Amino acid sequence: MVRRYLVAGNWKMHKGVSETTAFLEQLLAAKRPRNVDVVVCPPYISLPAAAMLLTRSGIGLGAQNVHWESSGAFTGEISAPMLRDLEVGWVIVGHSERRALFGETDETAAKRARRAQDEELTVIFCLGETLEEREAGATMDVLRRQAGVLGDLDPAKLVVAYEPIWAIGTGRTATPAQAQEAHAFLRAELAGQLGQEAANTVRILYGGSVKPANAAELFSQPDVDGGLIGGASLDVPSFSAIIRAAAHLAAGESS
Ligand code: 13P
């Protein structure tokens, strides 16, 4: 089973409308490989401008969070139907920054993911251990707990992103072997919950200080199906170089 590489940019709290427009115009003007799926996830406020620019471009548009209700008294929240209305097709759920800074739990992340899938959004579900957990030898226990909710989701609209917290924004990347070990473990967990066939179709992205210089080595691991890119997705040359690294590997695999 061949999984297509996916390179997704999580812009976090960067790029308002004018910077989003400038970035996407530059990205769209550049030559892009067709054998890799590409998604950008700007802040909510920039989604309408991005949606207009990306129509029929082949580049996917994602949000960085979503509420589990359709509407109601939830000040500051955005719902899945609202995202669909903008033709947003993807959403990041359970990012470690939301877990650490905004009270996200396994349960709330699962509720968001289910609601988003009900609305036909593809969920990029993030999980990963802290440095203390890794050093205590608890990585796989943490991943098993966090992945415990994935069995309730539709594998056809699911991407998992393994993002070790100690590698996010630190310049310290997991080694390819560490990434592969975690990804293989997560795929086995998915197989236990959803069956091996479905687990083989779910893309598992690596996130945490992916750069043009380390992307190819990480993506060449058998269970690493692309990346969720933070800092290096904010600049067109570096984001494009990461996309090309995936395209190069994909071309090699298909030849
Ligand atoms: P960096 O690529 O900046 O380390 O961020 C990773 C991340 O959190 C993507 O969601």
Side-chain angles (χ1 to χ4, degrees), residues 8-12 92 95-97 126 161 163-164 167-172 206-211 227-234:
N10 174 11
W11 293 1
K12 310 191 180 183
I92 296 169
H95 192 278
S96 64
E97 286 150 18
C126 303
E163 299 206 305
I168 296 179
T170 57
R172 183 175 168 191
Y206 169 79
S209 297
V210 178
K211 306 280 180 250
L228 183 57
I229 323 295
S233 75
L234 296 174

Side-chain angles (χ1 to χ4, degrees), residues 21-66:
T21 303
F23 178 99
L24 292 178
E25 283 174 348
Q26 197 187 341
L27 185 66
L28 290 167
K31 201 169 162 299
R32 251 193 353 276
R34 297 287 155 190
N35 57 354
V36 174
D37 291 337
V38 176
V39 172
V40 292
C41 304
Y44 283 138
I45 192 102
S46 301
L47 289 172
M52 290 222 301
L53 284 162
L54 294 179
T55 310
R56 287 188 289 279
S57 67
I59 296 177
L61 181 61
Q64 297 174 17
N65 192 18
V66 62

Side-chain angles (χ1 to χ4, degrees), residues 35-36 243-253:
N35 57 354
V36 174
I243 295 166
R244 280 198 305 276
H248 193 72
L249 290 165
E253 282 168 15

Side-chain angles (χ1 to χ4, degrees), residues 19-140:
E19 284 180 282
T20 294
T21 303
F23 178 99
L24 292 178
E25 283 174 348
Q26 197 187 341
L27 185 66
L28 290 167
K31 201 169 162 299
R32 251 193 353 276
R34 297 287 155 190
N35 57 354
V36 174
D37 291 337
V38 176
V39 172
V40 292
C41 304
Y44 283 138
I45 192 102
S46 301
L47 289 172
M52 290 222 301
L53 284 162
L54 294 179
T55 310
R56 287 188 289 279
S57 67
I59 296 177
L61 181 61
Q64 297 174 17
N65 192 18
V66 62
H67 197 262
W68 53 83
E69 295 289 346
S70 299
S71 62
F74 302 102
T75 302
E77 292 293 318
I78 299 287
S79 72
M82 292 172 183
L83 295 176
R84 281 309 303 175
D85 194 36
L86 279 177
E87 308 210 351
V88 169
W90 302 72
V91 64
I92 296 169
V93 170
H95 192 278
S96 64
E97 286 150 18
R98 298 223 56 90
R99 293 177 190 255
L101 305 172
F102 301 103
E104 186 83 279
T105 64
D106 294 332
E107 288 69 34
T108 55
K111 279 163 71 172
R112 291 179 206 280
R114 276 196 297 272
R115 187 72 185 91
Q117 288 194 332
D118 287 346
E119 218 56 51
E120 303 302 326
L121 292 157
T122 297
V123 168
I124 302 176
F125 193 94
C126 303
L127 33 72
E129 79 287 359
T130 64
L131 185 59
E132 298 75 58
E133 288 163 344
R134 175 160 285 267
E135 286 177 345
T139 298
M140 301 309 161

Side-chain angles (χ1 to χ4, degrees), residues 133-176:
E133 288 163 344
R134 175 160 285 267
E135 286 177 345
T139 298
M140 301 309 161
D141 293 339
V142 171
L143 296 184
R144 176 174 289 125
R145 192 204 76 225
Q146 292 175 331
V149 302
L150 299 177
D152 292 339
L153 298 177
D154 176 355
K157 287 174 275 180
L158 176 65
V159 171
V160 176
Y162 169 61
E163 299 206 305
I165 294 169
W166 46 272
I168 296 179
T170 57
R172 183 175 168 191
T173 317
T175 64

